[in-house]
Amino acid sequence: MRLAQFIDENGKRALAVTARGESRFVKGARTTLDLAKKALVEGVSLRKFIADRGVGKPVDLGRALKERRILPPIDHKDPAHVFVTGTGLTHLGSAEGRDRMHKDLADPAKLTDSMRMFKLGLEGGKPAKGQAGAQPEWFYKGDGSILAPPEGDLPSPGFALDGGEEPEIVGVYLIDGEGTPVRVGFALGNEFSDHVTERENYLWLAHSKLRPASIGPELLVGDLPGDVQGVSRIRRAREIIWERPFLSGEQNMAHSIANLEAHHFKYELFRRPGDVHVHFFGTATLSFSEGVKTEKGDVFEIQSDIFGLPLRNRLGAEKAPKPKVRAL
């Protein structure tokens, strides 16, 4: 079952559910957040809440996407109550990449801080039940205001040295009234980053991540399959200039989802009732690592049948701001 937020043909917000290949209006809620809150109050799952109320008329989500009426699959009236964060060095990559990685791990000269972090994940990223696992790399991207809608632009700031895609799976959470994280679902995500800045000095990782991102178009409700397969590509004008398969899901990760969640939500700051969390789980597939230099107007496309509609965003550009600080 998948959910999608969109603007209907009357200009009003609406929520659609897709099941068994058919998309229909959700009754009783117009937003994912509203639906989740009502399900929590009634003590039922999202699936049961929707089933109990029935569904409305069919929805053409493909048309809505083409007309740019689909919104991110989760949002909040106050974007400051949405935390957008992520973890890195979590994925095993392709067979070729794994072979190269194991050779690097065996060579003391190549054990950089990043490789040491990755090794910790390999050795302790999937702990036994009740045990604490290895901490992953963690980063902050921004609040809900940085989430671009599907088909929307990802503006690269004027001071950026690069703007590149990162095809990832995203966990979406709501903190309930008692401070307990509740997973609403999973979505495709483009964790757009500045890889040149990050490569120049890993201490600039925090700077490289303060960029827009996009998730959706649809939210997968339920468990994430162990093996997620998809395709990431870049279109320039009428040509596909780069295309590669990407793998995710725990079968292709050094960390379990539960371990990544545990290390994020162990902080009290991230368990504030009413807040929404959008958490990127990492990737092993980047066009940047193959020497691709993106240009303004390039379109990033991330697709996986598990998640329904593809996530597409165009690379934009912003002028470098020159903020001035004044004293009171």
Side-chain angles (χ1 to χ4, degrees):
M1 188 179 86
R2 301 188 303 269
L3 297 171
Q5 296 191 126
F6 66 104
I7 304 298
D8 67 19
E9 295 180 351
N10 296 316
K12 296 182 179 180
R13 291 194 58 147
L15 190 62
V17 58
T18 300
R20 301 181 182 88
E22 184 180 50
S23 302
R24 289 182 173 272
F25 278 87
V26 171
K27 292 183 178 180
R30 289 185 176 272
T31 70
T32 302
L33 185 57
D34 187 29
L35 176 70
K37 287 181 175 180
K38 289 181 176 179
L40 280 174
V41 169
E42 296 192 13
V44 299
S45 67
L46 296 178
R47 189 181 298 272
K48 188 174 189 325
F49 183 93
I50 293 172
D52 288 348
R53 282 155 184 75
V55 292
K57 62 183 181 180
V59 179
D60 187 345
L61 286 180
R63 177 184 173 188
L65 182 63
K66 185 176 181 180
E67 295 175 352
R68 299 191 175 188
R69 291 189 285 110
I70 291 192
L71 306 170
I74 189 80
D75 59 0
H76 194 289
K77 288 182 179 179
D78 181 356
H81 283 283
V82 179
F83 285 89
V84 185
T85 56
T87 49
L89 304 174
T90 56
H91 280 62
L92 303 175
S94 65
E96 178 184 359
R98 294 182 197 189
D99 182 61
R100 184 169 60 249
M101 173 266 296
H102 282 294
K103 289 179 180 178
D104 288 347
L105 287 175
D107 184 352
K110 294 184 177 181
L111 270 184
T112 62
D113 285 345
S114 293
M115 289 302 291
R116 289 189 182 94
M117 177 73 76
F118 187 70
K119 186 178 181 182
L120 286 173
L122 285 176
E123 295 171 348
K126 294 181 177 178
K129 188 174 182 179
Q131 300 295 312
Q135 289 191 121
E137 174 194 54
W138 182 95
F139 56 84
Y140 172 76
K141 281 196 69 69
D143 64 17
S145 66
I146 65 125
L147 291 177
E151 302 292 331
D153 285 1
L154 291 172
S156 185
F159 54 78
L161 302 180
D162 170 59
E165 87 298 334
E166 293 201 15
E168 304 190 23
I169 305 302
V170 175
V172 173
Y173 306 85
L174 170 64
I175 310 303
D176 71 13
E178 297 179 351
T180 301
V182 179
R183 190 191 311 115
V184 183
F186 298 95
L188 288 177
N190 186 345
E191 197 268 290
F192 181 70
S193 299
D194 183 342
H195 302 103
V196 173
T197 293
E198 178 184 352
R199 178 168 284 185
E200 285 196 2
N201 190 316
Y202 78 94
L203 293 176
W204 286 340
L205 172 72
H207 290 276
S208 74
K209 296 298 186 182
L210 291 173
R211 301 292 186 272
S214 187
I215 64 173
E218 299 183 75
L219 185 73
L220 178 69
V221 176
D223 295 330
L224 182 71
D227 181 24
V228 176
Q229 300 186 27
V231 177
S232 179
R233 60 178 65 94
I234 300 175
R235 298 180 185 271
R236 182 171 296 165
R238 296 182 179 181
E239 296 183 11
I240 295 176
I241 65 166
W242 181 85
E243 182 178 81
R244 293 290 182 273
F246 76 89
L247 302 173
S248 193
E250 290 189 359
Q251 181 177 315
N252 303 298
M253 297 172 66
H255 290 261
S256 65
I257 298 296
N259 189 53
L260 300 180
E261 292 173 337
H263 282 294
H264 179 67
F265 291 112
K266 67 185 180 184
Y267 297 100
E268 186 175 357
L269 170 65
F270 299 150
R271 301 193 306 275
R272 187 169 57 193
D275 282 351
V276 170
H277 288 254
V278 172
H279 194 69
F280 286 82
F281 291 130
T283 188
T285 306
L286 302 171
S287 65
F288 175 77
S289 64
E290 297 185 26
V292 175
K293 185 173 178 56
T294 58
E295 299 177 1
K296 180 182 177 181
D298 286 351
V299 175
F300 305 116
E301 184 174 280
I302 302 169
Q303 187 170 16
S304 174
D305 291 343
I306 295 169
F307 292 93
L309 296 171
L311 176 63
R312 284 188 295 260
N313 299 94
R314 186 178 64 175
L315 174 59
E318 290 181 330
K319 292 183 179 180
K322 296 181 180 179
K324 293 183 179 180
V325 178
R326 65 183 182 90
L328 286 178

